[in-house]
Every structure is written in structure tokens, then in C-alpha cells.
Amino acid sequence: KFFRPIASHGGNANDARLTLEKDRFYILATKERVSIPVHLSAEMVPFSHHVGELRAHYAGFFDPGFGFGTNGDIKGSIGVLEVRPHETINIYHGQPICLMEFFRNSSVPMLPYGAVGNNYQGQSGPKLAKYFGTPPTAPPLQH
């Protein structure tokens, strides 16, 4: 409805690549699982300007406990990147496209990410924001 899947092209899995077109918006998932301990927060940042202008800043902030839980009980979650290249580029399966910058929090949160049913904890692939979900049904009016 809002987005359409795109397929990679290339021979085998090692050659698989996606062509990302200039100024188009893409939602991608990380190959690796992300796990942020509760005393840290993290943000995805571009790893190199030499591979083309590819920003992962539209989403990419990870709250304390994302893919970690309270005491490390979760062994990582897929990270989702919302990207828009400013030039047409190819990206390859397993190619690094961002770095993780970590920040030490001033304190540990009372409830880490996921403790109250957050949208992305435990996702297995790209997942649209709650904004794109089905709106809740309003209760019937009382007369």
C-alpha cells in the first residue's frame, strides 16, 4: 500500500546487489542483529562519504535496551534503516553502510526499550512505523 518490495540482482548471494536510485526513499534491514545495553544509546551514522551519499539518519537512533532487554535476555534485534541516496548507487549484500556511534547515558532508564511493548523490539525484517498501521476502531457512540 505505502511501499513495495524490491529484489536484488546479480548472480549468487555473494554478488547480490540493490541499485538505489537518486532521491528515492528506501527501508532496509541490517544483516547483523543490534543489541544496545541499558547504560548506552546508539545512532547509525554514515561510515564513509567515498561510497556515495547515503544517509541513514531518517531513522537510526537506538534507545537503551533495544535488542537487549533489561538484563541481556534478548540476543539482538534487526535494525531498520530509512535511507535516501543523493546519487544512484549500488549496494552489495553484506556491504557496510553505516557505523554505530554509542553514547553513555547519564542514568539507566527505569524501563528499557521494549518493556512496554515498543514497535520494533524483536522484529525479523523491515517493519513500517505505527503511523502506517491500521487505525484503531473507535468505540460505538452511546446514546
Side-chain angles (χ1 to χ4, degrees):
K1 183 175 174 181
F2 294 103
F3 300 95
R4 62 180 170 79
I6 57 173
S8 62
H9 44 274
N12 57 43
N14 293 331
D15 285 344
R17 69 184 183 278
L18 289 173
T19 300
L20 304 182
E21 296 175 24
K22 175 183 176 177
D23 295 329
R24 304 280 312 254
F25 189 75
Y26 297 89
I27 297 177
L28 307 174
T30 59
K31 182 178 176 183
E32 296 84 7
R33 296 174 100 38
V34 177
S35 184
I36 310 298
V38 294
H39 69 287
L40 300 173
S41 297
E43 181 180 16
M44 286 187 273
V45 295
F47 81 100
S48 173
H49 64 278
H50 297 292
V51 296
E53 182 68 22
L54 179 66
R55 298 287 179 194
H57 292 202
Y58 302 103
F61 187 82
F62 294 95
D63 293 315
F66 179 87
F68 185 83
T70 303
N71 298 306
D73 45 306
I74 300 173
K75 303 303 178 201
S77 290
I78 299 298
V80 172
L81 299 84
E82 297 172 353
V83 298
R84 191 181 102 205
H86 297 293
E87 58 188 64
T88 298
I89 61 171
N90 286 314
I91 59 171
Y92 296 86
H93 182 71
Q95 170 187 336
I97 60 173
C98 70
L99 293 174
M100 297 290 285
E101 185 174 4
F102 290 86
F103 304 92
R104 188 170 310 277
N105 300 325
S106 59
S107 63
V108 173
M110 290 175 50
L111 295 172
Y113 188 87
V116 290
N118 303 86
N119 196 40
Y120 303 108
Q121 190 78 294
Q123 66 188 351
S124 59
K127 184 176 181 181
L128 295 176
K130 290 182 275 188
Y131 173 81
F132 295 102
T134 305
T137 306
L141 294 175
Q142 300 293 322
H143 293 277

